[in-house]
Amino acid sequence: MAAVILTAAREGGEGGTAAPQDHYCLWGVQTLTRTRTRVRRGAVVALTASALFLTAACGGSSEKDDKAKGGDSAGQKPAAAPLTEAQMKAGLLELADLPAGWKVEAAAASDQAPKAEKPECQPLAVLMSDKIDGATQGGNREFGRGADSAILAQQIFTYPDGDAAAAFVKSVDEAVGKCASFVSVDAGEKMTMTTEKLTAPQVGEEALALRLTMDIPQLGMKLESDMLVARQGAGVTRLAYVPMGEKPDHAAFEDLAKRGGDKFVKGARS
C-alpha cells in the first residue's frame, strides 16, 4: 500500500441496491469497478523528524568524559536498519494464514494522490495513495472473501531508519485525533472522509487502528475501511479490511489485523 493500504467496499447506492459503477480507484479505501466496489491498497505520508544531541565534556579526560563524547554507547539501542526485500516479503500474509473462505486476488497499482483540504489531515488522505514519500515499498497482497465479497489488503514498506518509521506512525495517529472529518480532493473530485480510532492489536513496537469512511455522493455510496498501521524497527505494515453487504462484518477485523501484524513482525525479525 503505499498502504495503505488496502481493502474492500460496500456495494450499492441508496437503500443498499447494488448497481454497476465507473472505475474509481482509491487506496486504503479503494477501487470501484463496473462489477463491484473495492477498496485498494494505500499509503500514508510519513512526516520525518530528527534531532541531533551533542554532548560536550568539560574538565579532564576521565572515563566519564570519554563516554559522553560517544566512546561508549551502553544503554542505547542501535539504530534500526531498513528491512530487506526478503524480510518484507516474508512479512506478507499468505492464503494459508487466513481463515477459510478467502482467496488471492491481483493487487493493481494506483497513481492517485489525494490531497486533504486541511494540511493537518494530509497523513490520512495519503492512506488512499499508492506511494509513501521517503519509504521503499516491499510488496503487497490482496484477498477477496467469497461469502460477502469483502477485501483484505496488506502492504509492507521500509524507511531508512526507525526514527522515520516512527514519525510516520505518529503522523497518522495525530491526524486521527485532529480530523474526525475532512475533505479530500483528487483530480478535481471532492470526497468527505470521517475517521474513528479503533483498538489496535498488540503487534510490533507500536500499532494503531482506525476506521476510515468515505462518502461518495456522485455514486450515492459510502465505503468503510478498517485499517491497521504497525511498526517494527524501520518497517511499517498497513492492512485494510473492507466488509461488504447490508450489514458489514466489522467484527472480523480484530482477528485479521492480529494475523497480519504478527506475520509482519515475524518477517521483520527474520
Side-chain angles (χ1 to χ4, degrees):
M1 325 162 250
V4 131
I5 25 310
L6 309 168
T7 25
R10 195 164 63 195
E11 286 186 299
E14 297 182 1
T17 302
Q21 306 291 350
D22 291 335
H23 184 76
Y24 196 96
C25 182
L26 281 176
W27 199 97
V29 245
Q30 247 84 96
T31 301
L32 302 181
T33 68
R34 297 181 185 278
T35 56
R36 69 193 255 194
T37 303
R38 303 178 55 191
V39 180
R40 296 219 60 82
R41 298 169 298 107
V44 189
V45 164
L47 304 179
T48 59
S50 61
L52 178 64
F53 295 91
L54 302 178
T55 304
C58 299
S61 57
S62 65
E63 179 181 355
K64 182 178 180 180
D65 290 336
D66 291 338
K67 290 181 179 180
K69 294 176 182 178
D72 183 15
S73 59
Q76 292 185 342
K77 293 183 179 180
L83 298 188
T84 65
E85 184 176 348
Q87 286 175 311
M88 291 188 281
K89 182 178 179 180
L92 290 170
L93 286 167
E94 301 282 355
L95 189 59
D97 300 318
L98 300 176
W102 291 92
K103 62 181 180 179
V104 177
E105 294 198 350
S110 166
D111 59 357
Q112 295 198 342
K115 299 292 184 182
E117 289 189 336
K118 298 178 180 179
E120 62 269 29
C121 304
Q122 184 57 24
L124 297 174
V126 182
L127 280 172
M128 298 179 290
S129 177
D130 202 41
K131 294 182 180 179
I132 299 178
D133 290 347
T136 299
Q137 185 173 327
N140 58 81
R141 292 278 164 77
E142 188 170 316
F143 306 89
R145 190 169 60 193
D148 60 355
S149 298
I151 296 292
L152 175 69
Q154 181 192 18
Q155 182 185 41
I156 295 177
F157 50 94
T158 186
Y159 281 93
D161 54 51
D163 288 344
F168 164 75
V169 177
K170 182 180 179 181
S171 74
V172 178
D173 190 31
E174 291 180 343
V176 173
K178 296 176 181 177
C179 305
S181 176
F182 67 98
V183 175
S184 175
V185 183
D186 184 63
E189 296 291 336
K190 290 188 176 183
M191 292 168 291
T192 299
M193 316 289 295
T194 58
T195 60
E196 175 186 354
K197 195 162 188 177
L198 304 177
T199 300
Q202 297 298 309
V203 295
E205 294 181 48
E206 56 181 331
L208 64 91
L210 66 146
R211 178 169 300 156
L212 192 60
T213 301
M214 179 194 307
D215 185 14
I216 309 177
Q218 298 93 329
L219 302 178
M221 302 176 65
K222 285 188 177 181
L223 309 181
E224 297 177 350
S225 176
D226 293 343
M227 305 183 68
L228 168 74
V229 178
R231 179 182 70 86
Q232 181 66 34
V236 176
T237 188
R238 54 185 186 179
L239 176 146
Y241 164 67
V242 182
M244 306 280 280
E246 290 296 316
K247 296 181 179 180
D249 176 25
H250 286 286
F253 172 67
E254 183 176 356
D255 174 59
L256 294 170
K258 177 65 173 173
R259 291 171 186 253
D262 285 345
K263 184 68 179 289
F264 159 66
V265 172
K266 183 178 180 180
R269 290 175 173 174
S270 63

